[in-house]
Amino acid sequence: MSSTTIGTGHVSTAAGYNSILDRANSAQAVVQRFLASAGVPALRVSLGLVFLVFGALKFFPGLSPVEALVSRTWNVLSFGIVDGYAALALTATLEVFVGVALVTGLLLRIGLLALAVTFVGVFSPLVFFAGELFAAAGPTLTAQYILKDVVLVAAAMVIAAKAFTRPIR
């Protein structure tokens, strides 16, 4: 075993250093196990709360900052059949369902499928209204509002990967 005299006159050994590293690794393993077990459920519930709250806002005219955009997007996607409050109510219902499924874990696979459909609607304005959403100076505030949903897609992918590890019954 090697030893080294340090500035205080005490002798430090490699074994003492290794002991500290072993304790640090043990502590890290405990933290890692906690994060592995709690991380995905926390992500699922927090994503669910986002959809639950933002969906609920759409039930009440004047509360959602994207009302006009939702209505216009549905109008384009439905070839003019769905518009106005009907578009908001459909979006609100879909988002609230997704939120409840994610928060409770009930009907999770169906909720994740509904979430995938929701993301089509969320990103559609970037295609349909690109001229309005991107100015010479860059993306407008509305475009930024939409683009940040890329993070929500990544979160949904992690949740789906975990949910799909269980067999379908």
Side-chain angles (χ1 to χ4, degrees):
M1 180 179 327
S2 66
S3 63
T4 307
T5 303
I6 54 177
T8 60
H10 297 284
V11 175
S12 170
T13 65
Y17 178 70
N18 287 338
S19 174
I20 292 170
L21 290 178
D22 287 344
R23 280 186 257 153
N25 282 328
S26 294
Q28 178 178 296
V30 168
V31 170
Q32 187 278 332
R33 282 191 302 274
F34 169 75
L35 293 173
S37 67
V40 174
L43 185 62
R44 178 179 51 79
V45 170
S46 62
L47 182 62
L49 289 172
V50 167
F51 273 87
L52 192 59
V53 170
F54 280 87
L57 288 176
K58 290 176 181 76
F59 279 121
F60 305 99
L63 289 184
S64 175
V66 292
E67 284 181 12
L69 185 62
V70 168
S71 181
R72 289 178 57 211
T73 302
W74 268 99
N75 187 284
V76 172
L77 286 172
S78 69
F79 302 101
I81 297 171
V82 179
D83 203 354
Y85 184 75
L88 286 174
L90 283 169
T91 301
T93 301
L94 189 59
E95 289 181 359
V96 166
F97 170 73
V98 166
V100 169
L102 289 168
V103 168
T104 65
L106 300 173
L107 301 173
L108 185 57
R109 287 187 172 110
I110 296 168
L112 288 167
L113 179 61
L115 181 56
V117 171
T118 300
F119 282 134
V120 170
V122 166
F123 291 110
S124 291
L126 296 174
V127 175
F128 298 139
F129 314 120
E132 299 170 34
L133 296 174
F134 295 94
T140 64
L141 188 58
T142 303
Q144 292 173 42
Y145 184 88
I146 296 168
L147 290 170
K148 60 101 177 99
D149 288 342
V150 170
V151 175
L152 301 183
V153 170
M157 291 170 64
V158 170
I159 294 162
K162 179 71 173 179
F164 295 158
T165 60
R166 295 185 317 254
I168 298 172
R169 297 187 222 261

